[in-house]
Amino acid sequence: MKSFKFLFVITIFILSLFNHTSAQTNFSGGLGLIYVQSAWTVEPGFLSIASNSRFFGKNANYEDRTPLTIWDVSGRLNFNYGFGKHVEVSASPVIYQDTNLPGDKVSSPDDLFLSTKFGSFAAPGSSVTYGLLASARFPLGKASNVPFEPYSSSNVGWGVTGLMSYSMDPLYPTDATNIHFNLGYWNHNDVGTGLVDNGTIETIPTKMTQELKYGFGVRVPKNSVDFSFEVYGNAFLQEPPTSAYSRESYLYLTPAVYYSPMNWITLNAGVDIRLFNSKDKTLYADNGNGAFRTLPSEQPNYPGWRLVFGTSFNILPTSSYRLNERDLLMQKAQSRRELFEQIIREQNETESAEAELERIRAERIRAERELERLRKILEEDAEDSEKNPK
């Protein structure tokens, strides 16, 4: 049964590398949801890899052009590594993209996203955690400013995002219902960059395209299956140039489900649902005289729905492949014991004895709860052994 699960997960992972996804959307990876980042960082020395896929079909019904269907075919990975208790770095390369547009638009490799998260900042015993994410996009692919996708330029873009996470159980934050908030700024750095719209218009931006990005997400754990709901969108502080695709703001709702057949693997699937329509603001060229004009069309520049799925693997430490639930609890209990002893040793060296006392109390409660969970598992194992003697 375990070998079947393993083969099933590997198959899903490989298929997701070559499905449809947006090269302009920054999936969260790590301990976050599909799009909304958490303020938590992965443990020091932990390395995870995830693939994210997204696909949709959308007809481009332009009056003065041949109708065509737009989709993005690409494969994308997320690598997340914990450098320390409060530092996490991630790399997200788009390894392949085909925009299905006239001409040679196949791009491999494509864009690269690099991020550094400073997070897991919380008062002892607090349910609220804070963090900050710094990100950059490197346009290594052939295509940018893709129809029906968020705006992107051919220059390096950068941004910062404030993160806040809340868990109903501060001792086991990922095991209880948790809520995440994101608010960020993104600069496309596109002044002086030539922007071509289907080869008919070339516009040189004179103002930097800037936007606010925001997100809110809730995740509800239910044993090996979790459920989440995310709302994410943007608001332009300075709109893209007039001939760019996707000059409108967007807002999406994404319900999703997560399944963990083993403690080091998670599968997820969801659907993006656009919450409102925005009239097309793009200026197109008239094929007759080349003059700028706006098409009298109510069709938005974003698809109404998109299917999303992906996989996530823990690569390091390799010991996670061999651990069962009892081993994990014993490992947690041992680490808590060491931390508890360290807190006692450092108590006299701190300036705030009251804060250290709160930390000791929180760690003692955490250790007691872990020991209680371990006791129940051992009792269940004993009962199984009595019922099914070897």
Side-chain angles (χ1 to χ4, degrees):
M1 186 66 178
K2 290 184 178 180
S3 61
F4 172 77
K5 286 184 177 180
F6 181 78
L7 290 175
F8 171 74
V9 171
I10 292 297
T11 301
I12 294 296
F13 176 75
I14 294 174
L15 289 176
S16 65
L17 291 182
F18 300 100
N19 258 291
H20 313 294
T21 183
S22 165
Q24 283 74 42
T25 301
N26 195 5
F27 292 94
S28 69
L31 297 177
L33 306 181
I34 294 178
Y35 298 106
V36 178
Q37 292 270 355
S38 75
W40 306 323
T41 57
V42 298
E43 293 289 333
F46 275 63
L47 173 65
S48 66
I49 179 174
S51 65
N52 290 284
S53 300
R54 190 173 81 180
F55 64 92
F56 66 91
K58 181 68 176 176
N59 292 326
N61 299 316
Y62 300 128
E63 290 183 349
D64 51 359
R65 306 176 198 179
T66 302
L68 72 159
T69 301
I70 301 293
W71 70 81
D72 290 330
V73 181
S74 61
R76 178 170 180 155
L77 299 175
N78 285 83
F79 298 89
N80 296 78
Y81 180 74
F83 260 111
K85 182 179 180 181
H86 299 291
V87 181
E88 173 187 332
V89 295
S90 66
S92 182
V94 180
I95 59 176
Y96 173 85
Q97 183 183 28
D98 183 358
T99 60
N100 190 41
L101 292 173
D104 182 12
K105 296 295 184 180
V106 176
S107 182
S108 179
D110 203 82
D111 294 348
L112 171 66
F113 292 84
L114 298 179
S115 301
T116 301
K117 181 192 292 187
F118 305 94
S120 294
F121 295 105
S126 175
S127 296
V128 181
T129 305
Y130 301 94
L132 182 70
L133 181 74
S135 305
R137 168 185 169 269
F138 297 87
L140 305 182
K142 296 180 180 179
S144 59
N145 184 38
V146 178
F148 301 118
E149 292 289 0
Y151 172 75
S152 63
S153 73
S154 57
N155 281 357
V156 176
W158 59 273
V160 292
T161 303
L163 314 171
M164 184 174 73
S165 295
Y166 170 85
S167 176
M168 296 186 66
D169 187 348
L171 300 181
Y172 296 91
T174 59
D175 294 343
T177 298
N178 45 81
I179 303 172
H180 308 280
F181 299 90
N182 292 175
L183 180 61
Y185 165 83
W186 190 267
N187 190 311
H188 290 274
N189 187 31
D190 54 355
V191 169
T193 302
L195 181 66
V196 178
D197 171 19
N198 271 3
T200 58
I201 301 175
E202 181 170 348
T203 301
I204 305 298
T206 58
K207 295 183 180 179
M208 203 78 72
T209 301
Q210 305 170 68
E211 59 182 313
L212 290 178
K213 294 188 175 184
Y214 55 89
F216 165 80
V218 179
R219 184 163 176 170
V220 182
K222 295 291 183 181
N223 298 322
S224 61
V225 178
D226 296 358
F227 302 91
S228 73
F229 296 89
E230 300 176 64
V231 175
Y232 70 96
N234 78 327
F236 282 110
L237 302 174
Q238 175 62 52
E239 293 182 343
T242 56
S243 65
Y245 293 115
S246 307
R247 302 185 68 238
E248 308 81 17
S249 299
Y250 58 82
L251 182 66
Y252 277 94
L253 167 68
T254 304
V257 61
Y258 305 78
Y259 172 61
S260 298
M262 289 169 273
N263 61 62
W264 51 278
I265 298 174
T266 300
L267 311 178
N268 66 72
V271 56
D272 295 340
I273 304 170
R274 194 184 66 235
L275 295 183
F276 63 80
N277 294 335
S278 297
K279 184 177 179 180
D280 191 351
K281 297 181 181 180
T282 303
L283 293 182
Y284 303 94
D286 190 306
N287 285 346
N289 55 25
F292 287 101
R293 69 186 182 87
T294 301
L295 289 180
S297 171
E298 294 297 331
Q299 71 170 16
N301 266 344
Y302 301 99
W305 60 270
R306 299 178 295 217
L307 297 182
V308 187
F309 67 92
T311 60
S312 177
F313 292 77
N314 288 334
I315 303 300
L316 296 177
T318 57
S319 59
S320 62
Y321 305 146
R322 302 183 296 272
L323 296 178
N324 54 33
E325 186 175 359
R326 187 200 318 180
D327 295 331
L328 290 173
L329 285 174
M330 293 181 68
Q331 188 179 76
K332 286 184 178 180
Q334 180 63 28
S335 65
R336 293 292 176 265
R337 176 184 175 183
E338 295 173 356
L339 180 60
F340 186 76
E341 293 175 350
Q342 180 183 357
I343 292 175
I344 295 177
R345 289 195 302 268
E346 296 177 351
Q347 182 176 8
N348 295 330
E349 301 175 4
T350 62
E351 297 180 357
S352 176
E354 184 177 352
E356 285 297 316
L357 182 60
E358 289 297 323
R359 288 175 58 190
I360 293 173
R361 289 174 178 171
E363 291 301 329
R364 183 184 65 188
I365 295 173
R366 190 194 301 269
E368 290 174 351
R369 293 180 60 177
E370 288 171 348
L371 290 174
E372 178 63 21
R373 291 174 63 184
L374 181 59
R375 182 185 65 79
K376 291 181 179 180
I377 291 177
L378 294 174
E379 290 177 353
E380 292 176 357
D381 290 347
E383 292 178 358
D384 291 340
S385 298
E386 292 177 359
K387 294 180 180 179
N388 303 295
K390 294 183 179 180

